[in-house]
Amino acid sequence: MSCFRRFMGVAAVVAAVSVGAGGAARAADPAAGKVVFHQQCAICHSDKPGVNKIGPSLFGVVGRHTGSEPGYDYSVANKNANLVWTPEVLNKYIADPQKVVPGTKMPYGGLHNATKRANLIAFLATLKK
Ligand code: HEC
């Protein structure tokens, strides 16, 4: 019985967390995401088209195929990852790049705050023509 109660407790926590994450995604704030971009990504990535720095330009990244930014020298891992950068894939990648693209040369440990990730992805989605 106590075991069952513990299970129900865990299930309730899991449900609460997923509701929370969904809420954060709905309320995503691109202006707040721009701040996160400048704090976490801009040292290596430009938000301008065709400007590659240590990493490829992130202009137009949402919906782009992995490893397809012209003129950028990708690692074999990123080049051959064969993924599309949907918001869902980006959400997992930004949380833990090595998990989604094992062997990536992106030296970034991951952004663990789900609200910040949602805001950041909302900002990335504005980077298009
Ligand atoms: C210290 C430098 C550095 C930081 C900080 C960094 N990146 Fe990167 N990023 C890279 C490099 C280098 C690559 C190329 C990886 C490869 O070829 O393996 C890359 C690749 C990527 C890609 C794949 C692009 C493509 O065209 O396939 C995405 C998406 C990306 N980064 C997003 C981000 C985001 C969002 C942030 C901020 C949360 C961030 N990166 C922070 C260096 C960085």
Side-chain angles (χ1 to χ4, degrees):
M1 189 62 194
S2 70
C3 192
F4 176 70
R5 260 201 213 113
R6 185 168 301 151
F7 170 75
M8 289 310 285
V10 170
V13 169
V14 169
V17 168
S18 30
V19 167
R26 268 197 301 282
D29 175 353
K34 185 173 185 170
V35 175
V36 178
F37 178 83
H38 283 284
Q39 288 168 344
Q40 302 273 330
C41 322
I43 189 169
C44 297
H45 291 282
S46 172
D47 58 358
K48 305 277 180 296
V51 181
N52 296 326
K53 296 165 73 175
I54 294 169
S57 167
L58 293 184
F59 184 88
V61 72
V62 176
R64 184 163 96 193
H65 200 267
T66 35
S68 63
E69 183 62 17
Y72 182 76
D73 186 19
Y74 288 98
S75 68
V76 173
N78 194 130
K79 184 94 199 145
N80 295 345
N82 200 22
L83 297 166
V84 173
W85 292 120
T86 61
E88 293 72 26
V89 173
L90 280 167
N91 187 39
K92 290 192 192 120
Y93 178 75
I94 294 166
D96 189 351
Q98 290 290 344
K99 205 164 170 183
V100 176
V101 182
T104 176
K105 65 175 179 176
M106 170 152 133
Y108 184 74
L111 176 60
H112 303 296
N113 181 308
T115 304
K116 286 188 176 175
R117 286 201 308 274
N119 291 341
L120 174 59
I121 293 163
F123 169 68
L124 293 176
T126 69
L127 303 177
K128 60 184 182 201
K129 286 183 192 121

